[in-house]
Amino acid sequence: MKVMLQITNLVKSFPQPEGGSIKVLDVPNLQVNEGEHVALIGQSGGGKTTLLHLIAGLLTPDEGSIQINGIELTKLSEQGRDRFRAGTIGYVFQTFNLLPAFTALENVRLGMTFGSGVAESERAIDLLERVGLGDRAHYRPRQLSVGQQQRVAIARAMAGKPRILLADEPTANVDPKSAETVLELIRETCAEEKVAILMVTHDLQIASQFERVDQLDEINQAVERSR
Amino acid sequence: MDSRKYGVILCQSNIEQKVSKRTMNLIQIAWRNFCHRSLSSILTTLSLALGVGLVVLVLSIYGVINEAFTRNASVGYNLVVGPKGSPLQLTLNSVFYLSQPIENLPYTEYMEFLSEAERSEMVDRFGGDEELKQRGGRYAPFIGDGFVIPLALGDYFGEFRVVGTTPLFFEKLRHGPTLEQTFTFSSGRAFQDFSEEHSYFEAVVGSRVAKEMNVGVGDQFFPTHGDPTGHGHDLGFTIVGVMDPTGTPNDRAAFVNLEGFYLMDGHAKPIEETTADDSEKTPQGKLSPDLEPKVAKRDDYRLLSIPEREVTSLLVRTGNIMFAPSMQNAINEGIRSQAAAPVGEINKLMGLIVGPLKNAMLMITLITCVVAAVGILVSIYNSMNDRKRDIAVMRALGARRSTVTTIIIYESLLVATIGAIVGWILAHAGITAYSGTIEDQTGVQVGFFTTSGNEVWILPLVILLALIAALLPAWSAYRTDVGSNLSA
Ligand SMILES: Nc1ncnc2c1ncn2[C@@H]1O[C@H](COP(=O)(O)OP(=O)(O)O)[C@@H](O)[C@H]1O
Ligand SMILES: [Mg+2]
């Protein structure tokens, strides 16, 4: 198995409003293999979102290295990280994933525009059909339920043909039944396209469906010291 | 709320089109944002459109005024000669029939433009100093095959100027864009120096005079003296012709035979010394009214003698246009009269008064545009808070800082371009709607696509304004932090 994501001695602190700074993450080692589906469980405020932002190159670490597909993220410029993210990473957020001014289809195509730069409608429609929203292609986000919005977000995350999908509590704001669907869709589409998944959640029930479940608190050395 | 619906419809029509394309470009993305906040976008665009429309209107109106004045200043003659004084006032009086009446010139000054033969004929016909016969007019050599037309001003018909002149006026003068059209009559004909029907009292009225005073061929009118409200003369002029519209000030004048004009009360210049043979002539004016014959005879009236005659100004065309400046110099060096070039005077007037006025109006309207641009700034900047999340999402999808910044700038440019085009269309539609009235009153033809030269600067200017207005929101977009706006 080839390693897709390799994190080594990653440290991230945030400045505090009252002065000083607090170390949120200190991860000596985290690996995700190609096509592997990993669920990472952590309590609220445990640094899950921060970790995903670092992997996506939206934040820069204070120390350590993040290698994705053999590329050292910390050595890239901001523009380089933008380009890298567009080509390699798919992202699904907890809520408010979609751009309200655009239809479902356009949201998916936006993912492609910023990603590969080619926004083929055929693939966009195909992805929407795969998440069961072929008939909602021209709906605006506000005309869709939260669960449906998350499904569009999955289609959009897949649109740029990523190598790894980062999912930040994708089911947290969705009713249990939709959560099931959303989760299935993520796993299915990623399996079809051989995309690795790193999903963070605080929900044990959700995490348990993944073949590999890690505890962030065990990986993250900053936890004990910060609390 | 209609506007919102409209925006949505506009935007939806775009969907199908977009699906077929392979990429969504940044302008399309900006357009969707524009539509998403359609009410605010449309209001902002409209305020800019109004500003642009006002600028276009000012430019167009100035263009019309400028063309009307310059065109009317050249009606087939190149100099106006009148008493010494302001050349502009002379021009306004004689060409545009405007402004306060001016002093008069002695008739002999007019005769300086005539040949020896013509002068002799006049002395024989009207009576006057025999010495006038002895030589040709001082300025006659400049005239050649040109012409001199005398004007006597000072009376009114209603609010319209009465112009005493000779039939030469209708024979020689031209108008129209190429100065080739002769005066034509919607009814009747030009007046004659003397007719058996109306004696010396024939008149021709301009189209507007006929319309507004509600008169036509066969009607009589009695000019009033001095100003529009002055007392009337008892001698009436019979209208024998109504002119077609010319788009010149002549539409607003009533023309009467100069000889009849002289016969009106108070139009004879008092002379200190009466000549011996005057005693046998009847006093100026009509013979006894009860004797008035059906057919007028030339000696029913005693025409004024040369010393009694005055003219207000002369319209002069030199035979060779090259002679005009030297003739103008020669006249201006004399003691009595001055010669003015109407086109030059009008250009001076435009440059001196109308031009600065236009600039002031332009400044005001440009400020309107700046205010509208500030409106764009406020509208987009206010929306930035709602959009921080959108921007962060786009960034997470791989959009660069420069990309999200460009989208904001495009949005401002969209407002600017649409506003400028809508404003331009509104202004030109307005002008077109009034083109009939404009042509009636000024003779200037304007159509939807009649543009003044400066209009080409509007779009670049508005786009520049929009760019400046977009700077602050664009900077805010550029600086939007992805991490903190995603984890909200
Ligand atoms: N931009 C930031 N500035 C300061 N502190 C931050 C920032 N982002 C996150 N934090 C802090 O880091 C910790 C981890 O946050 P986060 O990664 O969002 O946790 P989780 O997603 O697991 O709930 C929290 O205590 C939070 O207050
Ligand atoms: Mg979180």
Side-chain angles (χ1 to χ4, degrees):
Chain A
M1 263 293 153
K2 236 182 121 195
V3 175
M4 178 74 219
L5 168 70
Q6 171 66 58
I7 287 174
T8 322
N9 295 328
L10 182 73
V11 177
K12 180 69 184 175
S13 314
F14 284 116
Q16 291 295 97
E18 55 268 24
S21 74
I22 181 167
K23 197 192 263 183
V24 173
L25 283 175
D26 182 354
V27 180
N29 182 36
L30 175 65
Q31 272 188 9
V32 176
N33 289 329
E34 255 184 12
E36 195 180 12
H37 296 186
V38 180
L40 203 55
I41 293 186
Q43 69 210 39
S44 185
K48 302 186 294 294
T49 302
T50 307
L51 179 65
L52 292 193
H53 283 173
L54 286 166
I55 296 170
L58 295 168
L59 280 177
T60 48
D62 303 332
E63 287 169 37
S65 100
I66 304 169
Q67 281 188 8
I68 302 175
N69 234 356
I71 294 191
E72 177 55 55
L73 211 56
T74 53
K75 293 214 173 85
L76 294 177
S77 65
E78 186 183 37
Q79 266 203 30
R81 289 201 307 274
D82 288 339
R83 206 176 304 132
F84 179 78
R85 173 167 63 254
T88 313
I89 291 172
Y91 211 130
V92 178
F93 319 110
Q94 188 173 331
T95 57
F96 307 120
N97 258 298
L98 304 183
L99 297 168
F102 300 85
T103 64
L105 180 60
E106 286 167 342
N107 264 285
V108 176
R109 297 184 73 224
L110 271 177
M112 298 181 190
T113 303
F114 295 133
S116 55
V118 180
E120 301 151 56
S121 306
E122 296 77 24
R123 177 165 162 80
I125 290 171
D126 179 53
L127 280 165
L128 279 177
E129 271 163 9
R130 271 202 262 166
V131 299
L133 291 173
D135 56 340
R136 300 281 200 278
H138 298 309
Y139 281 46
R140 299 295 168 103
R142 67 179 140 78
Q143 297 167 312
L144 298 170
S145 73
V146 182
Q148 287 171 328
Q149 288 184 32
Q150 289 304 74
R151 280 145 71 187
V152 175
I154 294 165
R156 187 182 61 187
M158 301 305 293
K161 294 186 179 162
R163 304 302 308 137
I164 181 166
L165 180 80
L166 305 176
D168 191 348
E169 311 202 43
T171 57
N173 288 56
V174 179
D175 62 275
K177 201 169 171 303
S178 304
E180 203 72 20
T181 325
V182 167
L183 210 63
E184 254 166 46
L185 281 171
I186 292 181
R187 288 165 55 78
E188 257 172 40
T189 45
C190 284
E192 281 165 27
E193 310 225 350
K194 299 196 170 46
V195 177
I197 304 176
L198 179 60
M199 181 186 76
V200 297
T201 178
H202 65 271
D203 189 337
L204 209 81
Q205 168 91 40
I206 293 289
S208 62
Q209 303 189 18
F210 279 55
E211 54 260 39
R212 179 179 151 196
V213 181
D214 287 4
Q215 300 282 335
L216 181 59
D217 290 359
E218 288 171 13
I219 300 167
N220 186 7
Q221 308 291 303
V223 178
E224 292 94 314
R225 267 171 277 168
S226 71
R227 301 277 138 187
Chain B
M1 290 306 106
D2 269 341
S3 54
R4 173 168 298 216
K5 219 184 253 166
Y6 183 60
V8 168
I9 290 166
L10 261 181
C11 298
Q12 269 163 1
S13 69
N14 243 23
I15 293 171
E16 269 64 45
Q17 183 194 340
K18 238 179 256 173
V19 171
S20 62
K21 284 189 189 159
R22 283 177 64 81
T23 61
M24 276 180 86
N25 63 43
L26 299 186
I27 293 179
Q28 286 174 316
I29 294 171
W31 173 243
R32 299 324 292 274
N33 286 336
F34 178 96
C35 293
H36 185 61
R37 303 176 304 114
S38 57
L39 183 66
S40 149
S41 304
I42 286 172
L43 289 181
T44 317
T45 308
L46 220 60
S47 72
L48 186 67
L50 285 179
V52 169
L54 285 175
V55 173
V56 174
L57 269 185
V58 169
L59 287 174
S60 296
I61 290 169
Y62 176 76
V64 167
I65 293 174
N66 198 12
E67 194 183 333
F69 267 92
T70 343
R71 166 195 293 207
N72 292 341
S74 49
V75 192
Y77 45 88
N78 39 32
L79 287 178
V80 186
V81 176
K84 287 241 187 272
S86 149
L88 177 60
Q89 206 185 355
L90 174 62
T91 303
L92 289 178
N93 253 279
S94 311
V95 182
F96 296 94
Y97 310 131
L98 295 171
S99 180
Q100 292 301 304
I102 48 176
E103 293 293 300
N104 286 330
L105 285 174
Y107 200 75
T108 49
E109 198 66 16
Y110 164 41
M111 291 170 74
E112 293 296 351
F113 292 82
L114 303 178
S115 67
E116 198 175 327
E118 288 167 308
R119 288 159 64 97
S120 299
E121 198 191 316
M122 278 185 175
V123 175
D124 291 341
R125 185 175 168 203
F126 307 129
D129 193 342
E130 290 291 320
E131 269 181 37
L132 291 169
K133 289 178 169 183
Q134 304 303 310
R135 58 174 180 89
R138 216 176 315 142
Y139 311 120
F142 293 110
I143 300 296
D145 52 0
F147 55 79
V148 186
I149 300 171
L151 300 183
L153 302 167
D155 278 23
Y156 288 85
F157 172 30
E159 56 167 307
F160 299 102
R161 277 281 174 92
V162 169
V163 181
T165 186
T166 66
L168 219 52
F169 189 94
F170 302 98
E171 211 175 288
K172 295 290 188 187
L173 296 189
R174 301 286 183 271
H175 66 97
T178 51
L179 284 181
E180 279 168 350
Q181 283 162 260
T182 54
F183 291 120
T184 52
F185 295 85
S186 59
S187 62
R189 54 172 172 85
F191 62 68
Q192 296 168 352
D193 184 49
F194 177 86
S195 81
E196 300 206 327
E197 232 178 314
H198 308 294
S199 180
Y200 298 104
F201 300 100
E202 288 188 342
V204 163
V205 292
S207 54
R208 295 240 316 178
V209 179
K211 203 195 265 176
E212 287 189 25
M213 302 301 289
N214 198 18
V215 291
V217 170
D219 290 337
Q220 244 195 356
F221 71 89
F222 298 85
T224 52
H225 190 65
D227 65 280
T229 53
H231 70 90
H233 296 283
D234 0 308
L235 282 177
F237 286 86
T238 304
I239 297 169
V240 297
V242 175
M243 289 159 74
D244 282 322
T246 61
T248 68
N250 294 318
D251 295 348
R252 291 184 288 105
F255 302 90
V256 302
N257 184 3
L258 188 62
E259 294 307 327
F261 184 89
Y262 284 142
L263 292 173
M264 291 191 285
D265 281 347
H267 281 187
K269 182 179 168 188
I271 32 179
E272 297 98 55
E273 208 187 343
T274 46
T275 42
D277 47 8
D278 255 2
S279 52
E280 64 200 63
K281 288 193 175 170
T282 47
Q284 177 241 339
K286 252 190 221 175
L287 296 171
S288 44
D290 39 79
L291 289 178
E292 193 177 9
K294 185 93 180 93
V295 173
K297 293 207 202 79
R298 279 192 184 266
D299 47 4
D300 284 346
Y301 296 94
R302 181 191 70 80
L303 296 178
L304 293 195
S305 67
I306 289 171
E308 292 171 291
R309 288 166 173 253
E310 287 180 310
V311 293
T312 308
S313 57
L314 306 166
L315 307 180
V316 176
R317 178 173 182 89
T318 50
N320 184 337
I321 200 114
M322 307 283 279
F323 290 166
S326 38
M327 181 190 212
Q328 192 178 3
N329 285 341
I331 295 171
N332 287 339
E333 276 162 18
I335 44 159
R336 278 249 158 65
S337 46
Q338 62 162 333
V343 180
E345 289 308 315
I346 289 311
N347 283 341
K348 266 190 253 168
L349 173 73
M350 298 301 287
L352 225 68
I353 298 165
V354 187
L357 203 68
K358 174 194 82 165
N359 289 340
M361 292 288 287
L362 264 187
M363 280 313 290
I364 294 168
T365 50
L366 284 179
I367 288 169
T368 317
C369 287
V370 171
V371 171
V374 172
I376 300 179
L377 190 162
V378 171
S379 143
I380 297 182
Y381 194 75
N382 273 345
S383 72
M384 286 314 290
N385 248 346
D386 305 343
R387 287 199 213 190
K388 287 215 151 80
R389 168 111 198 156
D390 294 5
I391 289 169
V393 169
M394 287 198 255
R395 292 291 310 283
L397 292 177
R400 304 190 192 152
R401 277 187 202 277
S402 59
T403 308
V404 293
T405 309
T406 309
I407 291 172
I408 297 291
I409 292 174
Y410 279 166
E411 225 176 296
S412 177
L413 292 184
L414 271 178
V415 172
T417 313
I418 297 173
I421 291 171
V422 169
W424 189 91
I425 290 174
L426 281 180
H428 280 266
I431 294 165
T432 310
Y434 283 95
S435 60
T437 320
I438 293 173
E439 195 178 343
D440 270 6
Q441 307 213 346
T442 64
V444 178
Q445 290 178 352
V446 282
F448 190 81
F449 290 105
T450 311
T451 50
S452 54
N454 287 331
E455 281 175 38
V456 287
W457 293 105
I458 292 176
L459 192 61
L461 194 94
V462 169
I463 283 177
L464 184 73
L465 275 178
L467 275 179
I468 296 171
L471 281 182
L472 193 61
W475 176 238
S476 154
Y478 188 86
R479 293 183 25 144
T480 298
D481 180 63
V482 184
S484 56
N485 283 297
L486 277 183
S487 47

